[in-house]
Structures are given as C-alpha cells and as structure tokens.
Amino acid sequence: MEHDLSPATLAELRRPRSYPAVSVLTPTHRREPDNAQDRLRLRNAVTEAKKQLESDPAVTRERRADVERQLEQALAEVDLTYAEDGLLIFAAPGEHQVWSLGRSVPERVVLSDTFLTRNLVSAHAAERPFWVLSLAADRVTLWSGGGGRVTEDRVGGFPRTRDLAENFDAERQEQIGDAPSTFRDERTHRFLREADTAMSAVLRRHPRPLYVTGEPGALAVLDELGGVARDAVHVPHGGLAHGSPDAVWRAIRPVQEEQARRETEAVARELEAARGRKEFAAGVDELWRTAREGRVRLLAVEENCRVTVRDDAGDHLVPAEGGDLDAREDIVDEIVERCLETGAEVRFVPDGMLGHEQGIAGVLRY
C-alpha cells in the first residue's frame, strides 16, 4: 500500500485517464473491535464499483473486464493488519493503486476520467510528513515520518554506509597529537558531504520539514557544509543511525510536539490579526466560496473536523445528513485541496481551538 504523496505522484494521479477511472473510498479502523467489519466493508465497496461498471453503457465489455481485474488485484494487495483510518483504491484500464490514509474518508465509489484525490491530499496534509536524517560516522539513515510513526526510507541511496576501519589513521593522530575524533577526519567529512548532497536531492523531489539527529560532532560537520542543515531542526541524539523506528520516534516526538505547539500559537495570532483587518473567514460555506476564488492565504482546520453539506441552489452550502440526496461528506477535504492548489498554507490544529467557527477558519489574501 502507498503512503508517500510527492508532488510528482500527485500530478500523475490527477492526469486524465481513459474512462472509467474508478475511485473506491472506505473508512477503516486501527484497532479491535472496530476493525472487525473492515474486510467485509471493503469487499462490498469493490462489489458496488463492479455493479456501477456493469450498468454504465459508456464502459465497453473489454474495459470493464480490465478494470474489474485491476480492482481484484488491488483488493488482494490490501493488508488490513496495518490499517489506518481510511483506504483508497484507484483502478483504471491497465493500472491500480492502493493508498492507506491516516484520516477517515466517506464511503464512496466514483467513476470518472480522473481519480478522486481530494481525500488523499487532505490526509497527507493532516499527517504533516517529515524527514529524519540520522548521522553516524559509518552510517547515515533516512527516516520518513508522519501520522505518529516513523519508518526507514530507502529513497535517494539511503542508508549510506562505510567501513570505519578504512578511516582510522593512527600515525596522523600521533603526529598532530589529536585524540581519536572520527568527525574531524577528512574522509568522514567526505562521507557526510555525500549524504548531504543526496539529502538535498531528496528534498527537491519530496519537500518536507527535516530533522537531523546525531552526536554534536556530526551535527557540527553538517553545519559546516551549509547544505540541508540550514533549514533543518537539530536533535543532538547519537545512535539513531543504527536505531529502530521506535527509538527515532521517541527522540523526535517531543521536539516535534513543541514545534507544533509554537506553530499553533502562531496560527491563532494570525487569525486574530486577520479579524482586525477584516481578512478573516470561517465556516465551510464562506471558505468554500473564497477557496474557489483563490482568496485564502492561510487555512486552519481542526484535526477531526468533518462537516456534511449539500448545495442550496448552487449559491450556498447548508448542513445535511450523510444519507441525504446530494450530500457532500468530504467538503472539508475539498476545501483543503482547493486551498493547496491555489498556494495557500494549510495548518491542522487541535480540536476545539477554533471555537464556534465550525472547526475551520482562514486568513484571506484580500
């Protein structure tokens, strides 16, 4: 199952397909007993997709068979042992993908000439993905984080390793009276410089906040290089290049939580200042209109904000129940995606922070 939504991946998902491009969305659960029905619910959603394919006169027999085969292959790839809060299957002639999401989704089946990406984009933004680069003299490990977890990532040639025995120069240390200090050795500098260059390339393709861990000597070397360290958060903690994902998360979590707290306070200040300038918007109806106009500069969304609405003659959104005709259960995700498309900054904040603003508020450009 897929997790990493890079800009290139999103662009590929959004390109037009030969009809039909099928999107199957279903909520899942991380723990018992809530997850007991997830497999049946997913199978029913795929069955509903097949029914829609069969009843659609625009779908030829050959394409229907192809897409049904892709749906079955996608279903076989789903491992609900590691389920999160939502699952998304994309299937089109000759291709399929399965995405696990750390944010709940409405149960839907959509046939179109593009995949439905708004829930995926919103979940990705809510996860606040980040990188952790862990330094040691003999190994540099890259970790991918987000949604309360860290996993090792092998993009960009990581992990990068070398044999420390090749770096020990006892004769030189004796001549200059230097105590053994691996991080002052030129070959160690070269090793870390190569890692810095590789990480720079990763950030160009997959831009995210970066945390760098290591002993103070290793962090000092990275600072001297003047590359990725300039915009990274330093976490002086050795041993994580050879550590476990749990150990990395334990080291990063308090730093990240403190940073998130400061960012939340900054968002609150911006929203309050926007009120005074009359550049403030709140609620799904107002923000849906301003987002479509590209006027939102900063969007704040409470982490578990979910609002179901329907169109009122096309002019306004009004509250609705999930089973109502034309109900739009994912309007918050639509707003998030539209804001990101128009260059707005999107911040997910703790539940209750936005008071009476329906869990969503924004700062307008004008």
Side-chain angles (χ1 to χ4, degrees), residues 71-331:
L71 286 168
E72 285 298 325
Q73 291 176 6
L75 194 60
E77 293 173 10
V78 173
D79 186 354
L80 291 177
T81 304
Y82 303 102
E84 297 177 275
D85 302 308
L87 195 73
L88 185 53
I89 291 177
F90 294 137
E95 62 174 321
H96 68 271
Q97 291 190 32
V98 180
W99 288 83
S100 177
L101 309 182
R103 184 170 165 87
S104 185
V105 298
E107 200 161 29
R108 295 186 67 186
V109 174
V110 178
L111 273 62
S112 183
D113 57 359
T114 58
F115 292 138
L116 186 68
T117 60
R118 57 177 172 257
N119 306 92
L120 178 58
V121 170
S122 181
H124 183 72
E127 278 197 334
R128 302 185 186 95
F130 59 89
W131 295 116
V132 181
L133 190 68
S134 294
L135 309 176
D138 61 339
R139 182 181 176 92
V140 179
T141 306
L142 180 62
W143 310 90
S144 177
R149 69 179 185 274
V150 170
T151 57
E152 186 174 351
D153 202 303
R154 296 183 176 270
V155 70
F158 291 99
R160 308 180 80 86
T161 62
R162 68 172 187 146
D163 185 356
L164 268 185
E166 298 176 359
N167 189 57
F168 186 71
D169 189 346
E171 182 177 353
R172 175 180 177 275
Q173 290 174 0
E174 183 178 347
Q175 288 174 349
I176 65 175
D178 191 16
S181 178
T182 308
F183 294 112
R184 286 202 290 271
D185 185 272
E186 175 55 36
R187 280 167 287 191
T188 301
H189 275 240
R190 184 165 59 247
F191 175 66
L192 294 181
R193 186 182 303 115
E194 291 168 354
D196 179 87
T197 301
M199 189 66 225
S200 296
V202 170
L203 289 172
R204 284 195 296 272
R205 295 192 301 272
H206 308 278
R208 301 181 186 179
L210 174 65
Y211 297 84
V212 181
T213 77
E215 297 176 17
L219 298 178
V221 171
L222 211 66
D223 270 339
E224 290 175 17
L225 295 172
V228 297
R230 286 176 299 187
D231 299 315
V233 177
H234 288 198
V235 182
H237 192 304
L240 298 180
H242 296 274
S244 67
D246 285 344
V248 175
W249 176 235
R250 286 195 301 270
I252 294 297
R253 182 175 182 175
V255 179
Q256 190 187 48
E257 287 178 347
E258 173 59 23
Q259 189 173 14
R261 185 189 64 79
R262 292 196 300 266
E263 290 175 352
T264 297
E265 291 175 351
V267 168
R269 289 193 298 270
E270 284 208 56
L271 291 172
E272 190 59 34
R275 286 180 186 272
R277 301 191 305 267
K278 301 191 182 304
E279 295 174 356
F280 179 82
V284 293
D285 185 40
E286 186 176 9
L287 278 164
W288 173 236
R289 287 185 284 107
T290 52
R292 285 187 298 174
E293 296 165 358
R295 294 173 56 201
V296 180
R297 178 175 65 79
L298 169 66
L299 180 72
V301 185
E302 290 185 358
E303 290 174 351
N304 292 298
C305 177
R306 279 284 182 268
V307 182
T308 301
V309 298
R310 59 180 172 80
D311 277 318
D312 181 19
D315 296 325
H316 294 281
L317 301 176
V318 297
E321 298 296 328
D324 288 356
L325 185 65
D326 297 329
R328 297 162 72 172
E329 298 181 51
D330 53 357
I331 189 64

Side-chain angles (χ1 to χ4, degrees), residues 27-31 33-38 41 80 83-86:
T28 54
H29 304 84
R30 298 173 187 251
R31 299 176 185 85
D34 296 331
N35 61 6
Q37 297 299 314
D38 284 354
R41 178 178 287 181
L80 291 177
E84 297 177 275
D85 302 308

